[in-house]
Amino acid sequence: MDFKKAILEGIPDRLPAAKAYDPNVNHAPKRKEILNEEEKKLALRNALRYFKPKHHAELLPEFLEELDTYGRIYMYRLRPDYDMYARAIEEYPGKCEQAKAIMLMIQNNLDPKVAQHPHELITYGGNGAVFQNWAQYRLVMKYLAEMTDEQTLVMYSGHPMGLFPSHKDAPRVVVTNGMMIPNYSKPDDWEKFNALGVTQYGQMTAGSYMYIGPQGIVHGTTITVLNGLRKIGKGGGSIFVTSGLGGMSGAQPKAGNIAGCITVCAEVNPKAVETRHSQGWVDEVVTDINELVEKVKKAKEEKKTISFAYQGNVVDVWEEFEKQDLHIDLGSDQTSLHNPWAGGYYPVGLSFEESNELMANDPEKFREKVQESLRRQTEAINRHTQKGTYFFDYGNAFLLEASRAGAKIYKDEQGNFVTSEKAKDNENFAYPSYVQDIMGPMCFDYGFGPFRWVCASGKQEDLDKTDAIATEVLQRLKQNSPEEIQQQMQDNIKWIQGARENKLVVGSQARILYADALGRIEIAKAFNDAIAKGEIGTVVLGRDHHDVSGTDSPYRETSNIYDGSRFTADMAIHNVIGDSFRGATWVSIHNGGGVGWGEVINGGFGMVLEGNKESERRLKSMLYWDVNNGIARRSWARNEGALFAIKRAMETEPQLQITIPNMVDESLL
């Protein structure tokens, strides 16, 4: 059966043969046993409802075995036989160009080169899913292939509710993931309801079909590392120690190379190390801690720019570097600590295999080991920072989970590291979030965030042309940009000019850069004009949810909101509603993402540019709102950069009228 016919088939009337478990693929860890017998029956009923009754007797024992063996029903049998990757847009069946573009993006999210656990439909972060099972994938692709431009597909945590009549300016797809009643957003609630097959964790761009591989974060990581080094007055030869090479965190060594430092990134999963090394995202793999120390010392003496993947636990790195008196300039952590009990963090002292076994068979013991490891890691980090290391939380819930583990992650009145109980202020950690110190005041407050695009033709020459167009636009805008944003403009011009030589593409022909509303609109309009002239093919616009206004996350994106509103989620909801009626091709809103289930609400969008007047109208309206919504909220919180940015926006757009805060004389208080 050819590709188009396979897509249109959806769930086949005749079941395909059962598929063997492929040990060569990086699989999700077994999820813990959490359902009772009656709940298991419910999970099976829920799974079987995708299939005609004539198939139930055959599928029931198979799905039960999956549930018992893996803790989830993935429906491996339904995994397609064709290769999974982002094809050129014309290769997809369909009646609607926008729907074809969405199919392309979904397949890119599940490409084995891109996805962390492709057979479990998980793109990154250990549990960031595109769908819950392969039946959902097949149904969605069929719906998209049949969709007209006057229908909208409604997605319910991976499940396609169906096609509803709408209109041309409505989103083609509306996505929600994990939108739980607040009292049911604890980690075990995810385990239970995901096992039942009624919700999923979409992470950020996994469940919204906008993931573009590690490039999606390498630019933000580069900016973070560059500005972190500037903050402490360091440059070449500086040492950056971090951890995590799976999914998004795989960007760290590449970003360190671009920033010009020595990067040590620890990772316990050999498959993740092998993947990033084979893709050229890390220079050398080291398995012996003593060898690592010698190589880092030599690189520091030579002021060499190089990245090392240490196949082992990061706690050992922090402790051994202290023993060897090896000074770390920058330190962070990017393990998936939003998911600490199900493979997001591996404790020191246990092998990868031992951890996976303990995680599945004795979850309480595994939890104890994780928390013990977090306390030990924090102790080592504290000793380094007392010697001058600049450590920041990289938005992965490290500080939050360390505090819950009883680590000394706070300070008392004398400045000593203490636990929560002894802290002078247990609302604020001893270390800042990178958003508080770097990304918030330097980027988000001014409207700069991760704007991205994908060339739907799949041609590298189209990506090269879009790079050139974006460079020309940024250089032109920089000439008249105020002094406050000159550094951001220059960093992005340098980034885009070096994008091809840094070999950032994994999967689709995609690019990312940080731009404000004006930059995003001007670049998008230039793309649309180039499409109209036939110079390039269709372009899909999007962004990371980790942006100016898409996400309400008190320990990350909105951690530099100091008016007491950082625990509210109005902005993310406003954002997705506003995007939906201003022209987005698809919109998404998720519970969880980045820092964990129940800890954040975040939203995203996708927009297809077709080179016509309708696309131009939509991009101007939607991109303007998508950024300025967040600046308005940040300015109301009295953030200095945001006040500057929103006043500048009002000067250029008479219809924009924002409520500006009046400042209080502190002496009155």
Side-chain angles (χ1 to χ4, degrees):
M1 186 183 295
D2 69 20
F3 174 69
K4 288 186 178 181
K5 285 182 180 176
I7 293 294
L8 288 164
E9 181 186 41
I11 297 176
D13 186 60
R14 184 177 177 181
L15 290 177
K19 286 185 168 60
Y21 186 86
D22 186 349
N24 298 312
V25 173
N26 190 11
H27 288 283
K30 179 186 176 181
R31 307 304 183 185
K32 70 181 182 182
E33 188 92 12
I34 198 163
L35 302 182
N36 61 36
E37 289 306 306
E38 286 304 312
E39 288 167 340
K40 282 187 177 181
K41 289 178 184 178
L42 181 56
L44 291 164
R45 286 191 204 99
N46 289 344
L48 289 169
R49 60 185 160 177
Y50 288 100
F51 303 91
K52 293 179 179 177
K54 66 180 181 179
H55 298 308
H56 290 183
E58 181 180 355
L59 291 174
L60 183 59
E62 185 177 312
F63 288 173
L64 177 59
E65 184 182 1
E66 286 188 13
L67 188 59
D68 285 340
T69 306
Y70 311 115
R72 298 293 185 272
I73 300 171
Y74 297 115
M75 307 183 188
Y76 291 121
R77 178 194 287 252
L78 274 291
R79 189 165 51 81
D81 292 322
Y82 51 75
D83 290 336
M84 188 67 69
Y85 65 95
R87 292 158 170 78
I89 194 167
E90 63 269 14
E91 293 185 41
Y92 292 91
K95 305 169 185 176
C96 168
E97 190 80 355
Q98 295 180 358
K100 291 181 183 180
I102 297 168
M103 285 192 273
L104 180 160
M105 297 302 295
I106 286 172
Q107 290 203 311
N108 187 64
N109 269 26
L110 295 172
D111 182 340
K113 293 178 183 174
V114 175
Q116 186 180 14
H117 305 307
H119 287 192
E120 289 77 35
L121 302 112
I122 289 170
T123 302
Y124 69 94
N127 58 355
V130 187
F131 303 105
Q132 296 177 58
N133 58 59
W134 286 103
Q136 292 177 346
Y137 166 83
R138 284 177 176 262
L139 265 181
V140 167
M141 297 298 278
K142 178 177 168 63
Y143 277 134
L144 290 169
E146 295 171 342
M147 174 188 283
T148 71
D149 59 7
E150 293 190 340
Q151 288 176 301
T152 293
L153 174 63
V154 177
M155 295 298 303
Y156 190 118
S157 280
H159 168 67
M161 295 293 284
L163 294 171
F164 290 77
S166 58
H167 55 83
K168 288 184 179 180
D169 282 339
R172 295 283 68 82
V173 182
V174 174
V175 179
T176 60
N177 282 302
M179 298 305 290
M180 305 297 293
I181 301 300
N183 280 349
Y184 298 89
S185 274
K186 298 178 292 297
D188 271 358
D189 291 326
W190 171 75
E191 294 281 1
K192 177 181 175 178
F193 293 110
N194 188 228
L196 284 173
V198 295
T199 195
Q200 73 173 11
Y201 188 82
Q203 262 289 356
M204 291 188 145
T205 51
S208 62
Y209 323 142
M210 191 41 74
Y211 189 66
I212 58 171
Q215 181 187 180
I217 199 173
V218 72
H219 182 236
T221 307
T222 301
I223 289 176
T224 301
V225 175
L226 271 174
N227 285 309
L229 291 171
R230 287 169 181 156
K231 189 176 179 68
I232 61 175
K234 295 290 181 72
S238 298
I239 297 174
F240 172 41
V241 168
T242 185
S243 54
L245 278 175
M248 297 292 267
S249 58
Q252 295 178 101
K254 175 68 79 174
N257 281 3
I258 297 170
C261 61
I262 300 161
T263 305
V264 176
C265 190
E267 169 61 59
V268 297
N269 185 344
K271 281 192 170 69
V273 173
E274 180 187 342
T275 298
R276 292 296 172 238
H277 187 241
S278 67
Q279 291 172 342
W281 287 71
V282 64
D283 298 324
E284 283 190 38
V285 176
V286 183
T287 57
D288 180 81
I289 192 74
N290 295 314
E291 183 185 355
L292 177 68
V293 168
E294 292 308 312
K295 284 181 175 288
V296 171
K297 282 181 176 178
K298 189 169 186 284
K300 188 169 179 65
E301 286 170 9
E302 298 172 357
K303 291 195 173 180
K304 188 177 181 181
T305 296
I306 189 170
S307 57
F308 298 103
Y310 172 63
Q311 192 173 303
N313 200 291
V314 73
V315 181
D316 292 325
V317 176
W318 283 105
E319 291 179 343
E320 189 61 31
F321 276 31
E322 191 209 357
K323 284 180 192 173
Q324 300 293 335
D325 200 26
L326 192 49
H327 180 69
I328 298 169
D329 298 285
L330 283 184
S332 193
D333 184 280
Q334 210 171 356
T335 52
S336 297
L337 264 163
H338 69 276
N339 179 31
W341 325 124
Y345 180 94
Y346 284 79
V348 68
L350 294 176
S351 70
F352 183 59
E353 294 75 19
E354 288 169 340
S355 289
N356 282 332
E357 186 177 334
L358 193 63
M359 189 191 311
N361 299 324
D362 192 348
E364 284 308 309
K365 184 68 174 176
F366 181 75
R367 184 187 182 105
E368 288 174 17
K369 289 288 185 184
V370 165
Q371 293 196 319
E372 178 186 314
S373 185
L374 283 168
R375 291 192 294 272
R376 192 166 142 187
Q377 183 174 348
T378 302
E379 290 283 357
I381 289 167
N382 290 347
R383 291 194 293 270
H384 278 277
T385 59
Q386 286 173 320
K387 297 176 183 177
T389 298
Y390 174 62
F391 181 85
F392 56 89
D393 182 290
Y394 209 173
N396 66 331
F398 174 78
L399 296 179
L400 186 62
E401 288 303 331
S403 71
R404 289 169 175 169
K408 294 179 179 178
I409 205 75
Y410 299 92
K411 286 192 173 180
D412 63 14
E413 292 185 355
Q414 287 73 44
N416 302 308
F417 290 108
V418 293
T419 60
S420 174
E421 294 78 11
K422 297 180 180 179
K424 174 188 176 184
D425 172 11
N426 62 12
E427 285 291 313
N428 292 298
F429 301 113
Y431 301 110
S433 152
Y434 76 117
V435 173
Q436 286 176 293
D437 259 18
I438 299 169
M439 299 303 286
M442 295 181 184
C443 294
F444 292 166
D445 285 355
Y446 288 99
F448 282 81
F451 178 60
R452 50 177 72 165
W453 65 89
V454 176
C455 295
S457 67
K459 297 176 182 176
Q460 185 179 309
E461 54 263 39
D462 274 14
L463 185 60
D464 292 342
K465 288 174 185 175
T466 58
D467 283 347
I469 290 169
T471 302
E472 187 278 324
V473 169
L474 291 176
Q475 288 174 329
R476 173 168 53 81
L477 292 177
K478 183 177 183 294
Q479 293 175 4
N480 297 311
S481 293
E483 183 180 343
E484 286 85 349
I485 62 171
Q486 282 289 322
Q487 185 67 65
Q488 290 97 318
M489 297 295 288
Q490 187 54 47
D491 282 348
N492 280 285
I493 291 168
K494 181 181 178 182
W495 161 266
I496 202 75
Q497 288 175 333
R500 186 171 178 181
E501 80 176 70
N502 282 309
K503 299 177 182 176
L504 298 167
V505 171
V506 176
S508 58
Q509 294 295 320
R511 188 68 73 224
I512 184 172
L513 57 79
Y514 268 50
D516 60 5
L518 179 60
R520 298 183 207 203
I521 291 168
E522 290 294 317
I523 291 169
K525 184 180 180 303
F527 289 167
N528 199 52
D529 291 342
I531 297 166
K533 294 173 187 174
E535 295 171 358
I536 58 174
T538 302
V539 171
V540 181
L541 301 181
R543 58 163 170 74
D544 196 346
H545 295 202
H546 171 61
D547 199 3
V548 180
S549 62
T551 295
D552 281 300
S553 181
Y555 296 106
R556 195 162 83 175
E557 283 78 5
T558 45
S559 61
N560 71 318
I561 300 289
Y562 298 112
D563 69 348
S565 71
R566 63 178 179 150
F567 293 96
T568 66
D570 303 74
M571 180 176 70
I573 302 301
H574 288 164
N575 183 258
V576 74
I577 293 171
D579 283 358
S580 69
F581 66 76
R582 285 180 170 86
T585 306
W586 74 95
V587 291
S588 60
I589 189 77
H590 300 177
N591 166 23
V595 297
W597 185 260
E599 303 285 359
V600 50
I601 299 295
N602 67 86
F605 75 87
M607 174 176 276
V608 180
L609 299 182
E610 300 178 78
N612 52 33
K613 288 292 181 186
E614 288 79 9
S615 290
E616 182 174 332
R617 173 174 56 81
R618 290 171 184 150
L619 74 87
K620 287 180 177 178
S621 175
M622 201 221 75
L623 293 176
Y624 188 85
W625 156 260
D626 191 67
V627 176
N628 281 301
N629 165 51
I631 300 176
R633 187 267 176 98
R634 292 167 186 277
S635 70
W636 185 240
R638 297 182 290 270
N639 289 21
E640 188 177 342
L643 281 164
F644 167 85
I646 205 66
K647 288 175 182 177
R648 181 177 174 232
M650 285 193 285
E651 288 170 5
T652 58
E653 175 49 77
Q655 292 194 77
L656 180 69
Q657 298 180 44
I658 300 299
T659 309
I660 300 297
N662 293 295
M663 300 301 175
V664 178
D665 182 345
E666 289 298 310
S667 67
L668 292 175
L669 298 173

